[in-house]
Amino acid sequence: MNLKSKLILLPLFIVPVVTVYGQTNKKENQVIATMKSATRYMMDVASYKGGFVWSYLPDYSRSWGELEAKRTMAWIQPPGTPAVGHLMLDAYHATKDEYYYESAKKIANALIWGQLPCGGWNYVFDFAGEESLKNWYATVGKNAWRLEEFQHYYGNATFDDEGTMQAGKFLLRLYIEKYDPAYRQPLEKVIDFVLKSQYPIGGWPQRYPLMYDHPFKGNVDYSSFITLNDGVIPENIDFLINCYNSLGMNSLKEPILRALNLMIVLQQGAPYAGWADQYFVTDLKPAHARTYEPRSVNTGTTARMIMKMIEYYKLTAETKFLSGIPAAIKFLESMKLPDSEVAKWKNRPRSSDYILVPRFINPETGKPLYVHRNGSNVFNGYYYTDQNIEGTIAHYSSAAYINVNDLKKAYQEALSLPIEEIKKNSPLINNEGFEIDKYYYSSRSGKDEKSIDTIIKSLNNSGYWLTPIKQISNVYKEYTDGIDVKSSDKKFAETMVGDQFDTSPYTSEEPVMGISTATYINNMTQLIQYLKK
């Protein structure tokens, strides 16, 4: 929950580096200088008015978030604008250099500019204005075959992909750093947005305010459905708990518990006793989403929810959150595919502890729903499901490897925890002495001298790390009938992108070098880790 025992923070004022660190060694000075050079470049050159996307060509002729972005855009989904804001606060805590706090404020001001009147955020906003954003949706977004969430302009906010919640958590961290009143009102707007958008039963829709204007491919608009996919409900719970503890908002406990209790209700009955990605609001039955997300019980989501239910037990000390886990594990085991099917699958497991299961399970019959596609673009392409594990789509895996033994072990460990220990360590039960973690990011490398040397040396003279851009895209072209493949063609059945009219991102066969926000965050996190005392 990103919570830990209360920290004693150092005084927040500008002091020379030597005072903060004592007698710094040469390597620490190199780390500090590298961090500052890289950040000055990202803030002064890469960002647009404090907003960030995911990657840029070095000449800034093209840039990308999840799709190609205009230069005037700011992306919300990580690793976008809020992600860099979190990094600035981490750097501030590691160095006590006010430059990073001021950079965090600049990013926060960009986010506040893009905050919708409802209090949340869309995936992206455009400093050029709403008409520019609508134009982008009508061109680049509309032509992104596999990213159906961008094919329709709603104009409301989304909880999908952590966007609104990562921005909200950043504003919370920034506000409690110095309690600057400039950030209280935008933060309260986020909290109010989360509370207003919560259904009486405890869940949240994917988008809010509620809209129903995009029926697609014969299915009703799914954006109002109660959503677990991409951690919508767990992320909202996490945010409210952080606010509950950091701001002393006792009124938040009731909506938190309402959401927690819904997690029990949403588990399906045996023999398919797992969780779905989204649910109809009327009957809480599994629902569809995008055309390659069929109405189903999702085994991957079920494995994640088992761990979440253990987490919720530790928050509440109530065994009802553990009661459905044995049935969920039994369900996953029952979905284990035979060796003949495993041999057909694209990937091999990490170890023999993993079993291969279909991702999507028909909630009535228990049959797998493997997803395929035909065609070449958004205009002639279509998705469908069957029971053939071969030839499935590349961008959304139709099967998953799951370590059931790890789930069983975590469950048994939870059962063995003393109740008094759980109550002592729970921020919901014992809300004295808990605070948001000092650092948002963590690095597994520790103080790896070799990695630090590589990071320092690889920063170029301009101040950025030149790195292969993971995802590029076709330049938008207006669609012309008659020059594409037939809709029955399977040429693009297992590719990340279709023909020249598809604006979906893909990995280039020839590496395209550029500036990656994710690389910047990862490298900075390692440098910050080196400075931690």
Side-chain angles (χ1 to χ4, degrees), residues 76-204:
I76 302 299
Q77 298 155 281
T81 305
V84 182
H86 281 294
L87 181 71
M88 292 303 100
L89 291 178
D90 284 5
Y92 176 61
H93 290 152
T95 65
K96 302 301 177 288
D97 185 339
E98 289 290 328
Y99 168 77
Y100 294 107
Y101 178 75
E102 292 301 317
S103 296
K105 287 172 60 178
K106 183 177 180 180
I107 293 168
N109 292 338
L111 284 171
I112 292 167
W113 190 96
Q115 188 176 22
L116 296 170
C118 64
W121 286 264
N122 187 21
Y123 297 105
V124 59
F125 63 87
D126 192 339
F127 281 109
E130 203 70 3
E131 290 305 312
S132 178
L133 182 61
K134 288 180 179 179
N135 171 264
W136 179 86
Y137 265 92
T139 54
V140 174
K142 185 177 180 180
N143 282 264
W145 184 15
R146 68 178 176 84
L147 290 168
E148 294 173 0
E149 62 271 36
F150 292 106
Q151 293 175 18
H152 175 72
Y153 175 79
Y154 282 97
N156 58 2
T158 182
F159 287 115
D160 192 31
D161 287 348
E162 299 181 42
T164 288
M165 285 298 87
Q166 195 180 67
K169 288 178 182 179
F170 167 57
L171 288 181
L172 175 62
R173 288 184 71 208
L174 181 65
Y175 173 67
I176 65 175
E177 190 65 51
K178 296 186 180 184
Y179 294 98
D180 186 335
Y183 302 107
R184 177 76 189 204
Q185 193 267 344
L187 174 59
E188 288 180 345
K189 279 183 66 176
V190 185
I191 297 170
D192 187 58
F193 172 73
V194 176
L195 296 178
K196 282 185 176 180
S197 59
Q198 187 179 27
Y199 281 112
I201 199 167
W204 283 272

Side-chain angles (χ1 to χ4, degrees), residues 66-67 75 77 122-123 136-156 158 160-161 206-207 213-223 225 229-230 278 288-295 360 371-374 376-385 393 395-396 496 502-505:
E66 192 166 11
L67 290 172
W75 221 264
Q77 298 155 281
N122 187 21
Y123 297 105
W136 179 86
Y137 265 92
T139 54
V140 174
K142 185 177 180 180
N143 282 264
W145 184 15
R146 68 178 176 84
L147 290 168
E148 294 173 0
E149 62 271 36
F150 292 106
Q151 293 175 18
H152 175 72
Y153 175 79
Y154 282 97
N156 58 2
T158 182
D160 192 31
D161 287 348
Q206 187 193 69
R207 303 189 69 102
D213 63 342
H214 188 48
F216 190 69
K217 304 288 186 180
N219 287 324
V220 298
D221 191 322
Y222 66 87
S223 64
F225 296 163
N229 191 30
D230 288 322
Q278 45 279 317
H288 64 275
R290 293 173 292 189
T291 53
Y292 46 85
E293 294 172 316
R295 176 177 174 271
F360 302 115
V371 185
H372 308 264
R373 74 179 185 183
N374 286 343
S376 64
N377 57 47
V378 71
F379 300 98
N380 65 33
Y382 61 94
Y383 290 86
Y384 63 96
T385 62
I393 59 175
H395 61 84
Y396 206 117
M496 295 295 285
D502 185 5
T503 56
S504 301

Side-chain angles (χ1 to χ4, degrees), residues 481-501:
D481 287 323
I483 61 171
D484 53 295
V485 299
K486 296 178 180 179
S487 61
S488 60
D489 198 301
K490 295 185 178 296
K491 180 180 179 181
F492 302 105
E494 297 181 72
T495 62
M496 295 295 285
V497 67
D499 63 21
Q500 60 183 315
F501 299 107

Side-chain angles (χ1 to χ4, degrees), residues 159-436:
F159 287 115
D160 192 31
D161 287 348
E162 299 181 42
T164 288
M165 285 298 87
Q166 195 180 67
K169 288 178 182 179
F170 167 57
L171 288 181
L172 175 62
R173 288 184 71 208
L174 181 65
Y175 173 67
I176 65 175
E177 190 65 51
K178 296 186 180 184
Y179 294 98
D180 186 335
Y183 302 107
R184 177 76 189 204
Q185 193 267 344
L187 174 59
E188 288 180 345
K189 279 183 66 176
V190 185
I191 297 170
D192 187 58
F193 172 73
V194 176
L195 296 178
K196 282 185 176 180
S197 59
Q198 187 179 27
Y199 281 112
I201 199 167
W204 283 272
Q206 187 193 69
R207 303 189 69 102
Y208 190 84
L210 299 176
M211 299 183 75
Y212 309 92
D213 63 342
H214 188 48
F216 190 69
K217 304 288 186 180
N219 287 324
V220 298
D221 191 322
Y222 66 87
S223 64
S224 66
F225 296 163
I226 291 174
T227 303
L228 276 178
N229 191 30
D230 288 322
V232 168
I233 296 178
E235 284 292 322
N236 290 3
I237 292 171
D238 190 60
F239 173 70
L240 291 179
I241 289 175
N242 285 345
C243 293
Y244 171 75
N245 284 275
S246 305
L247 305 175
M249 299 181 70
N250 293 330
S251 61
L252 297 182
K253 189 167 185 178
E254 187 278 329
I256 290 168
L257 292 175
R258 193 157 24 106
L260 291 175
N261 287 324
L262 178 64
M263 299 300 93
I264 300 172
V265 178
L266 292 182
Q267 184 178 5
Q268 300 300 288
Y272 316 123
W275 283 264
D277 279 334
Q278 45 279 317
Y279 298 80
F280 292 114
V281 180
T282 52
D283 60 9
L284 300 183
K285 297 297 184 182
H288 64 275
R290 293 173 292 189
T291 53
Y292 46 85
E293 294 172 316
R295 176 177 174 271
S296 64
V297 179
N298 188 312
T299 53
T301 299
T302 297
R304 288 188 292 274
M305 283 305 301
I306 288 171
M307 297 305 297
K308 280 294 176 185
M309 298 307 275
I310 292 172
E311 183 179 311
Y312 298 155
Y313 168 62
K314 293 177 182 178
L315 278 172
T316 62
E318 295 186 32
T319 55
K320 64 183 179 181
F321 290 100
L322 300 179
S323 62
I325 290 179
I329 291 175
K330 185 177 180 180
F331 159 63
L332 292 177
E333 290 179 319
S334 74
M335 292 294 113
K336 179 181 178 181
L337 290 169
D339 291 343
S340 57
E341 291 293 277
V342 175
K344 299 174 185 177
W345 187 237
K346 307 168 185 179
N347 305 310
R348 302 277 74 86
R350 297 178 187 175
S351 71
S352 58
D353 290 331
Y354 288 80
I355 63 171
L356 184 66
V357 295
R359 180 175 300 279
F360 302 115
I361 306 299
N362 185 304
E364 277 78 46
T365 67
K367 290 184 178 180
L369 299 170
Y370 298 118
V371 185
H372 308 264
R373 74 179 185 183
N374 286 343
S376 64
N377 57 47
V378 71
F379 300 98
N380 65 33
Y382 61 94
Y383 290 86
Y384 63 96
T385 62
D386 61 19
Q387 278 70 60
N388 181 11
I389 197 173
E390 296 181 287
T392 56
I393 59 175
H395 61 84
Y396 206 117
S397 180
S398 284
Y401 283 106
I402 293 176
N403 192 326
V404 175
N405 290 333
D406 279 354
L407 297 176
K408 291 179 178 178
K409 181 180 178 182
Y411 171 65
Q412 292 299 326
E413 288 176 350
L415 288 175
S416 67
L417 289 173
I419 292 295
E420 290 307 313
E421 180 182 333
I422 292 175
K423 291 180 178 180
K424 179 182 177 181
N425 294 326
S426 168
L428 274 184
I429 299 172
N430 173 26
N431 63 346
E432 296 292 330
F434 287 90
E435 196 171 84
I436 296 175

Side-chain angles (χ1 to χ4, degrees), residues 429-466:
I429 299 172
N430 173 26
N431 63 346
E432 296 292 330
F434 287 90
E435 196 171 84
I436 296 175
D437 279 348
K438 191 175 181 181
Y439 293 96
Y440 189 82
Y441 298 107
S442 60
S443 173
R444 295 179 181 178
S445 62
K447 297 192 176 186
D448 185 338
E449 296 281 348
K450 188 174 181 180
S451 295
I452 297 300
D453 287 340
T454 299
I455 290 171
I456 292 172
K457 291 175 182 178
S458 60
L459 188 74
N460 66 20
N461 292 333
S462 295
Y464 62 84
W465 286 286
L466 188 66

